Amino acid sequence: MNELQRFHDELMADVIAEATSAGEGGRTGAAFKENAFTRILLGDLEAAGVLESPVPCFFANTAVRLPYKVNGYSLPDEDGRLDIVIADFRPDDSVQKVTAAEIDRSFKRAMRFFSMAVEQGPQGVDPGHEEHSMLSEIFGKRLEFDRVQLILISNAQAVQRKEKERREEHGRHQIGYEIWDLERLRRFRSSGATHEPVEVDFQGLPDGGIRCVPVSDRTLGYQTCVAILPGQVLYDMYEEHGARLLELNVRSYLQARGKINKEILETLLLKPQLFLAYNNGITIVAEQIHLDRSGSLITGVQGLQIVNGGQTTASIHRACKDSKADLTHVFVQAKFTVVPADQFEVMVPEISRLSNTQNKVSTVDLGANHAFHIGVERVARKTWVPGEQSMWFYERARGAYQTERSRTGTTRAKRATFEKKFPASQRVTKEDLARYCNAWDRLPHVVSRGGQKNFERFMNGLKKVDKGWEPTKDEFRTLIGRAILFQKTRQLARSLGIKAFGINIVTYTVALLADRTARRIDLGAIWDRQDLSPALQRQLANWLPRVGQELLRSAGSRNPGEWFKSEQCWQELRAVSTDWKLSGQLSAGLCSVGAEYTGVSDDVQSNVARCLLVSAEKWFKIQLWGSESGELKSWQIGVANTLGGYAAQGWTKKPSEKQAKHGVVILELFERAHPDP
């Protein structure tokens, strides 16, 4: 079996596992596999920096004379670009070829969809469907983006790839093309890299390159060049490659594309000749730098990534594009460093961390290298599920599951042994874990904002852990308990026929369950049975359709996809569901908050549990806010102070029924005054 066929088999196994985890396990048709394939690829492309917060959404009509089709889309916040993804999925067991004619046909279908979206919008589409939300968003923002990237994803091998040569215009929009076929995806995953190297050619510049001062020492193990980049060159690079220039490394989420800094913009517009003097410059890492014979001219760079200066780069691009800034006299200091491939994983994060002075990159930005993820991975590798037949695989680094499976051997028997020990349905990526934990922490609106934004919030919310930290066995089991809860709820939603906005409905339902039970669901019991109790399944089955109805009702005339990202949506669901009752069986199985509350009502236990979830720091913050704002009465400030004292002492003394009741009211007042950004 050749390498490409082996990769194809592994990818198809992942597709089936994804379909199973989404509750589509019993549906083996090509359409369900295509949806699962799309979700997998969108995750890969998001990690690659190709897409930002992509949304899977199948919408097609291939039975008409001029057929159209789309499988997903992405509208980056700051990039002035729309990405449209179309899938060419083959359910065959063997590797298929996708011809130039088939590629062209797919791109034409995606282009017809784009034309329909910007010209007609959501006309004639049911407002309760995801397609309506997608069309509404694209139509509503059609004047905010000027570039459209059509991306073809396929599990077949492209006969030829000439998409880079295709450049077209559709009205005010420039159209670009990109193909991710089986071979490109194999290279992407097998290398462990979440991007294809960015190559930049400077030979077309007036001097034939960029003048530089090189520093090279074989004993140091790296090569550095210091240069002055014309602002126009930086603009052109970003125009062509976009956010892919700004990746930190193969496993991180560097969000350097924030709002244009006011001072940077003012300098570019009013004092462009002083930009070089005022700006700290940018830091670039590369796989290879090409110099001319004199060694003083950079003619090209391979594997270019900007690890410091993303704000500068994006600001120059938007200032020129939006404000028509003249870049003739704008120059930027740039340091290019060639990092050996075997040291890339170690050196690049350190270069980024130590060189970043304008917008400091914390360890949060280092993604998988964070001690939390390393610790979870370490414990996962030594924790068997009850029965000791299998384990959960924590995929700290993207593609690690496939890599590990390949290492076990190429025979079907060896792969089967690996898959028995680590079933694909028991694989959790760090992005998955962030989704499950934030839903459990009652942040469904944050989860709905997409993978990268959700992951950032999760990382920012982690408590500081030192190198070598590991979760306890109980902590690990409750982490996986959250994963099981989310995955089983997702499957349940599918079995109930919930399709439109299904992932949002699942996320909000899990968050509502956590909220109404004050997170007293016994996650350890879920781990023990590797499933949900019948009482919990019945409760979720009752709430899922009601949550879906309320979410769409509250959206009203607004775009549901955008509405679900707002905290107001979450607060309205909480308000309207206050009289939704927990079943007696479920209430009886909730974790107790302490022996001293034995026999008290479930409402009292929930109030106490809500208070116990709040740290001493937050209680004192609430106390200070109440004093300064006047929003709390003096006795409420006293309650917050008392509860803060209890929390500071590790809750050795717990709140009384009355204190807990008042504490919940105080918490509600504080949270309403401090909506999630």
Side-chain angles (χ1 to χ4, degrees):
M1 182 186 298
N2 64 43
E3 194 171 357
L4 192 61
Q5 180 65 53
R6 186 179 305 116
F7 175 75
H8 174 273
D9 294 347
E10 292 172 350
L11 178 60
M12 293 298 284
D14 285 347
V15 167
I16 293 171
E18 167 61 24
T20 301
S21 68
E24 299 168 343
R27 302 167 178 174
T28 57
F32 295 103
K33 290 180 181 178
E34 181 174 304
N35 290 338
F37 171 72
T38 299
R39 291 192 295 269
I40 291 171
L41 266 289
L42 291 185
D44 284 344
L45 297 183
E46 182 176 26
V50 176
L51 300 176
E52 181 180 307
S53 301
V55 179
C57 185
F58 177 76
F59 184 49
N61 188 342
T62 56
V64 293
R65 187 175 65 85
L66 296 175
Y68 59 84
K69 180 182 177 182
V70 64
N71 291 80
Y73 73 106
S74 168
L75 267 166
D77 288 340
E78 301 293 332
D79 221 8
R81 188 184 79 245
L82 165 68
D83 299 306
I84 293 175
V85 179
I86 182 171
D88 178 313
F89 178 79
R90 315 292 177 94
D92 307 79
D93 292 334
S94 59
V95 175
Q96 302 295 300
K97 302 285 188 181
V98 54
T99 66
E102 290 171 324
I103 291 171
D104 188 59
R105 182 163 59 245
S106 291
F107 279 138
K108 284 181 177 178
R109 290 180 174 184
M111 190 63 205
R112 290 190 195 106
F113 162 78
F114 168 68
S115 298
M116 179 177 63
V118 296
E119 292 169 10
Q120 301 176 25
Q123 294 179 24
V125 180
D126 189 331
H129 290 177
E130 290 176 311
E131 305 94 275
H132 187 280
S133 177
M134 172 176 61
L135 289 165
S136 295
E137 186 174 10
I138 294 173
F139 183 76
K141 296 182 178 179
R142 66 192 184 283
L143 299 180
E144 298 179 21
F145 58 84
D146 49 28
R147 289 175 293 147
V148 180
Q149 192 76 358
L150 304 182
I151 302 173
L152 173 64
I153 57 174
S154 178
N155 66 333
Q157 183 180 21
V159 174
Q160 57 179 321
R161 283 178 48 186
K162 295 184 177 181
E163 72 278 10
K164 298 290 185 184
E165 303 171 8
R166 298 181 65 165
R167 291 286 169 184
E168 300 173 8
E169 291 189 358
H170 184 277
R172 64 183 297 275
H173 299 107
Q174 184 181 47
I175 313 298
Y177 300 83
E178 188 164 0
I179 299 173
W180 281 79
D181 69 336
L182 187 68
E183 175 58 33
R184 185 178 184 186
L185 183 60
R186 184 196 65 79
R187 292 200 309 270
F188 155 77
R189 285 196 170 185
S190 63
S191 66
T194 57
H195 71 289
E196 286 212 332
V198 172
E199 296 185 23
V200 180
D201 187 353
F202 294 133
Q203 294 182 79
L205 297 177
D207 293 336
I210 302 291
R211 297 206 172 275
C212 70
V213 178
V215 177
S216 180
D217 188 334
R218 292 182 182 275
T219 61
L220 297 177
Y222 66 88
Q223 173 189 7
T224 294
C225 296
V226 179
I228 303 297
L229 281 178
Q232 187 64 47
V233 170
L234 204 54
Y235 171 90
D236 291 339
M237 287 165 53
Y238 193 85
E239 177 74 5
E240 180 176 356
H241 301 288
R244 294 163 73 179
L245 289 176
L246 307 181
E247 295 174 47
L248 170 60
N249 64 8
V250 298
R251 301 180 185 92
S252 68
Y253 289 87
L254 176 59
Q255 292 297 298
R257 301 186 301 276
K259 300 293 183 184
I260 295 179
N261 183 281
K262 182 179 179 181
E263 288 76 15
I264 293 178
L265 181 59
E266 286 182 353
T267 303
L268 288 168
L269 294 176
L270 303 177
K271 306 171 186 176
Q273 70 279 6
L274 295 177
F275 191 82
L276 180 62
Y278 290 171
N279 189 265
N280 285 350
I282 65 177
T283 302
I284 294 172
V285 296
E287 296 173 7
Q288 189 173 1
I289 297 175
H290 302 291
L291 302 173
D292 70 346
R293 290 185 177 181
S294 71
S296 61
L297 205 66
I298 301 176
T299 59
V301 180
Q302 183 174 347
L304 182 150
Q305 291 182 57
I306 298 174
V307 297
N308 175 36
Q311 183 76 18
T312 294
T313 305
S315 295
I316 287 175
H317 181 267
R318 299 316 300 174
C320 180
K321 202 163 193 81
D322 293 345
S323 304
K324 310 303 178 187
D326 183 1
L327 302 181
T328 305
H329 302 293
V330 174
F331 295 90
V332 181
Q333 175 184 299
K335 180 177 71 174
F336 294 79
T337 299
V338 174
V339 179
D342 61 348
Q343 298 181 41
F344 203 80
E345 291 293 317
V346 176
M347 286 188 65
V348 172
E350 286 301 293
I351 291 172
S352 177
R353 183 175 67 84
L354 297 173
S355 68
N356 239 294
T357 55
Q358 281 180 285
N359 292 289
K360 181 174 175 59
V361 177
S362 69
T363 51
V364 166
D365 302 312
L366 304 183
N369 297 321
H370 191 281
F372 172 84
H373 297 294
I374 294 173
V376 173
E377 179 187 51
R378 192 181 298 123
V379 172
R381 294 300 182 95
K382 54 188 179 185
T383 305
W384 293 88
V385 304
E388 286 71 47
Q389 296 298 308
S390 66
M391 309 174 89
W392 282 77
F393 190 100
Y394 186 61
E395 192 172 66
R396 176 175 65 87
R398 181 165 290 273
Y401 182 83
Q402 275 197 340
T403 301
E404 195 73 20
R405 181 167 55 187
S406 297
R407 285 176 181 168
T408 61
T410 59
T411 66
R412 183 168 296 181
K414 288 183 177 180
R415 288 203 304 275
T417 299
F418 173 84
E419 290 166 2
K420 181 180 179 181
K421 182 178 180 181
F422 299 109
S425 59
Q426 291 177 198
R427 178 185 67 173
V428 175
T429 69
K430 62 182 184 297
E431 295 85 1
D432 289 335
L433 189 67
R435 183 183 305 116
Y436 305 151
C437 288
N438 278 349
W440 179 251
D441 288 341
R442 302 173 301 152
L443 296 169
H445 50 295
V446 174
V447 178
S448 297
R449 292 171 190 169
Q452 293 191 27
K453 292 184 176 67
N454 180 65
F455 185 75
E456 283 178 6
R457 176 57 185 270
F458 173 70
M459 294 296 292
N460 284 326
L462 284 178
K463 294 180 180 178
K464 178 176 173 56
V465 294
D466 297 324
K467 185 177 181 181
W469 170 89
E470 287 186 358
T472 65
K473 286 186 176 181
D474 284 343
E475 288 172 337
F476 176 76
R477 288 165 179 163
T478 57
L479 282 175
I480 299 302
R482 297 176 198 183
I484 297 170
L485 172 61
F486 195 99
Q487 291 179 0
K488 295 295 183 181
T489 305
R490 190 178 176 190
Q491 293 176 14
L492 192 57
R494 280 283 179 181
S495 70
L496 294 171
I498 297 174
K499 296 179 181 178
F501 305 108
I503 195 67
N504 303 100
I505 294 170
V506 167
T507 301
Y508 271 84
T509 302
V510 170
L512 186 63
L513 179 74
D515 187 60
R516 293 295 306 282
T517 62
R519 294 193 291 185
R520 291 194 294 131
I521 295 293
D522 192 342
L523 297 174
I526 291 178
W527 162 269
D528 289 340
R529 68 165 67 218
Q530 293 289 295
D531 202 349
L532 309 183
S533 68
L536 181 51
Q537 291 184 48
R538 286 193 295 270
Q539 188 74 63
L540 290 168
N542 178 266
W543 278 6
L544 278 164
R546 298 173 72 181
V547 169
Q549 291 168 8
E550 290 300 333
L551 289 179
L552 291 175
R553 182 200 59 77
S554 66
S557 60
R558 288 169 289 214
N559 183 339
E562 290 299 302
W563 171 240
F564 300 154
K565 299 175 185 177
S566 68
E567 187 177 15
Q568 185 183 349
C569 175
W570 167 231
Q571 295 303 343
E572 288 195 18
L573 177 63
R574 292 182 71 203
V576 80
S577 62
T578 52
D579 61 345
W580 295 9
K581 300 298 183 183
L582 296 174
S583 72
Q585 279 188 312
L586 182 61
S587 295
L590 297 178
C591 297
S592 173
V593 293
E596 60 267 49
Y597 300 100
T598 302
V600 303
S601 71
D602 186 63
D603 287 342
V604 170
Q605 295 226 30
S606 290
N607 287 340
V608 173
R610 287 282 305 277
C611 292
L612 297 182
L613 292 173
V614 181
S615 66
E617 181 184 9
K618 185 171 180 178
W619 278 120
F620 292 135
K621 183 178 179 181
I622 292 171
Q623 176 192 358
L624 181 62
W625 162 76
S627 299
E628 294 179 345
S629 68
E631 293 294 325
L632 294 182
K633 297 180 176 65
S634 59
W635 65 267
Q636 290 177 311
I637 295 172
V639 170
N641 182 61
T642 299
L643 293 176
Y646 292 170
Q649 297 170 18
W651 295 110
T652 52
K653 181 176 177 58
K654 293 192 175 81
S656 66
E657 293 184 24
K658 187 175 291 186
Q659 286 173 326
K661 182 178 180 179
H662 292 319
V664 169
V665 172
I666 293 168
L667 279 171
E668 296 284 354
L669 290 171
F670 179 77
E671 289 174 355
R672 279 201 294 270
H674 296 79
D676 188 75

